[in-house]
Amino acid sequence: MLYDRYGRLAFTLALRVLGDAGAAEDVVQEAFLAVWRRAASYRPERGSLRTWVCSIVHHRAIDRLRGRSGRARLDLSLDKAPPEVALSDTWETVAADLEREHIRRALAELPDEQRRTIELAYYAGYSQSEISSLMKVPLGTVKGRTRMALRRLRSTLERQGVEWSVT
Amino acid sequence: MTCDDCDLLLAAHAVGALDLDDERRLVVHLQGCAGCQASAAAYLHTADLLPLALEPVTPPPALRSRLLARVHAEVAGEERSRPRRAPLRERLWRTLPAGRGLTAMGAVAAMAAVVLAVWSFAIPHRQASPPGVLVSRACGLTPLPSACGELSYTPATHQSVLTVQGLPPLPVANSAPLGGYAVWLIHRNGSPVLGAYLEPAPDGRTWAAVLEGDASSYVAVATTHEPRIGSAVPTGPELLRISRPLTPPS
Ligand SMILES: [Zn+2]
């Protein structure tokens, strides 16, 4: 079942965002139930199962962190993803360690303030306005750093030859 | 909002950091802008790599059992709360061939297999009252003679259920199952189209998949092991082939 393939990754992500094993377990369980209920909306040609599962786990972990639950979220992760940028599932099963090193190195290459912005947002679940207060910079700066960070991350990974397409 | 404003919000959205009022503005712009929709996908696919940078932490084994219990309870609950409409489990169950000496345990396993199959496949929403179920069976080809399967098709719902027994567990790479058992719909000209992936029952012996769509569009289904989920063409040897059912079960 899906859990056997992605449970560890899902738990790792939820634990990192929430910092509490019990809360992470709750979120993973709810996320996999949501995956099951929403199975009809999964389109393999639009992205890997890994991507889908992780985005649901991430959304739910952040919702829990911010004390909101059951709110309908903007879910772009699947429907808007064209097949040419979808990542294959081969990655997580065959080359997990290699990827980890690639992605860590690409993160490390980011300017400090960009990496910190991404980490506060994605791994720690802070919103843009919260990051603005935390880092004592204007909201516009936070937005700009987030965008630059993602763009650089992508171009670094592409340069390192990380596979971006299914075929 | 301009496309550049939108682009900034898309990056924030991809890392889950969008503030609520920004989210509303973003939705409005995206609905009418194909260019920004494409950017949204690019940012998301970059952000989706971030969990892979983390040092993996194995969840407690009890989480898996709790999750399975919830899935089963939920399916049972659906049955109780909507007695007038045949629930998913029952609808699927009716599409399975009945009365072939399945033991109680076997029946539970087969049902669980179907329930789990829903993890990957479309949940049927149609009102289902199948007047007849068509069934065909076959056993494995040379590489795997132990595998035997049944393909049942309910014309009224355009839904097929494939159950297979005798498949070995998936090979393991980096302590995760490698790839999956793909189900291919074989068209009249012999070309295969990916239909679904088989999902295992908890006992590991029964595998099942739900196939949506009119079965007259294909002549047979075939199963292969695919090391790479998502492959558009079969790469592994054919393990089992079952012709499309044409006659009611005896
Ligand atoms: Zn736009």
Side-chain angles (χ1 to χ4, degrees):
Chain A
M1 72 189 239
L2 268 185
Y3 178 81
D4 295 331
R5 197 172 286 154
Y6 301 115
R8 197 158 84 127
L9 185 63
F11 183 71
T12 300
L13 177 59
L15 184 62
R16 176 62 186 259
V17 172
L18 293 163
D20 175 87
E25 283 184 48
D26 286 351
V27 160
V28 168
Q29 178 168 314
E30 291 308 315
F32 275 90
L33 284 169
V35 166
W36 171 60
R37 293 186 196 115
R38 292 165 54 191
S41 67
Y42 173 63
R43 297 286 175 274
E45 68 276 14
R46 285 178 175 160
S48 72
L49 280 169
R50 193 258 308 154
T51 294
W52 194 44
V53 170
C54 279
S55 73
I56 293 175
V57 169
H58 192 239
H59 283 168
R60 286 183 174 254
I62 284 180
D63 278 354
R64 185 174 173 122
L65 208 60
R66 295 184 188 160
R68 36 186 219 214
S69 59
R71 194 174 64 83
R73 285 194 70 100
L74 169 64
D75 187 4
L76 300 165
S77 54
L78 218 71
D79 293 345
K80 304 295 188 257
E84 61 271 20
V85 291
L87 293 163
S88 87
D89 273 27
T90 315
W91 257 23
E92 38 271 344
T93 51
V94 178
D97 292 334
L98 186 66
E99 291 153 27
R100 189 168 307 129
E101 274 321 302
H102 269 124
I103 296 164
R104 282 181 181 174
R105 221 176 304 144
L107 274 169
E109 280 182 26
L110 293 176
D112 278 350
E113 70 280 5
Q114 287 179 22
R115 189 183 57 252
R116 190 83 190 112
T117 304
I118 290 285
E119 286 173 348
L120 285 171
Y122 193 86
Y123 296 131
Y126 288 103
S127 73
Q128 301 271 279
S129 50
E130 288 167 336
I131 296 170
S132 160
S133 318
L134 277 169
M135 297 183 83
K136 300 185 173 56
V137 292
L139 188 56
T141 307
V142 176
K143 288 178 175 169
R145 285 176 181 173
T146 307
R147 175 164 70 175
M148 273 313 296
L150 286 182
R151 286 184 174 174
R152 269 179 196 244
L153 204 54
R154 177 167 182 142
S155 65
T156 306
L157 289 168
E158 281 174 336
R159 220 174 35 245
Q160 288 177 356
V162 167
E163 182 186 0
W164 280 94
S165 69
V166 169
T167 46
Chain B
M1 179 161 45
T2 66
C3 284
D4 192 55
D5 296 335
C6 179
D7 198 65
L8 279 171
L9 296 185
L10 287 175
H13 169 260
V15 293
L18 207 57
D19 290 296
L20 276 178
D21 48 337
D22 281 343
E23 187 170 312
R24 283 184 213 106
R25 291 165 51 216
L26 177 63
V27 172
V28 172
H29 180 90
L30 271 182
Q31 278 165 352
C33 185
C36 285
Q37 287 175 18
S39 308
Y43 283 124
L44 277 166
H45 280 289
T46 308
D48 284 335
L49 296 172
L50 292 169
L52 298 176
L54 298 171
E55 198 61 48
V57 185
T58 303
L63 179 57
R64 186 186 194 275
S65 339
R66 277 211 308 278
L67 181 61
L68 268 182
R70 282 284 303 274
V71 170
H72 288 267
E74 188 155 317
V75 172
E78 185 186 343
E79 190 165 43
R80 274 197 306 278
S81 63
R82 282 196 286 154
R84 288 169 156 274
R85 191 178 162 209
L88 171 62
R89 186 182 74 173
E90 196 180 299
R91 277 177 278 153
L92 293 181
W93 185 236
R94 272 192 296 196
T95 67
L96 286 172
R100 236 175 323 288
L102 277 178
T103 62
M105 277 306 289
V108 167
M111 189 178 291
V114 172
V115 169
L116 288 176
V118 178
W119 280 75
S120 297
F121 313 113
I123 296 170
H125 296 294
R126 295 181 204 91
Q127 200 74 27
S129 54
V133 178
L134 310 178
V135 180
S136 59
R137 302 178 196 102
C139 283
L141 300 158
T142 315
L144 198 64
S146 64
C148 289
E150 279 185 359
L151 180 66
S152 65
Y153 177 60
T154 308
T157 58
H158 286 192
Q159 189 176 68
S160 304
V161 177
L162 173 64
T163 54
V164 183
Q165 276 162 338
L167 289 174
L170 290 170
V172 170
N174 286 327
S175 64
L178 177 65
Y181 286 114
V183 180
W184 304 93
L185 310 179
I186 310 297
H187 288 256
R188 209 168 296 278
N189 63 4
S191 67
V193 172
L194 182 61
Y197 291 90
L198 290 167
E199 290 278 338
D203 71 352
R205 289 197 300 268
T206 308
W207 296 71
V210 179
L211 304 164
E212 297 283 348
D214 185 354
S216 64
S217 65
Y218 54 87
V219 295
V221 299
T223 299
T224 60
H225 173 252
E226 294 301 323
R228 182 185 174 113
I229 295 284
S231 174
V233 291
T235 61
E238 195 172 312
L239 304 172
L240 180 70
R241 180 180 284 238
I242 305 181
S243 302
R244 172 166 63 91
L246 296 170
T247 53
S250 48

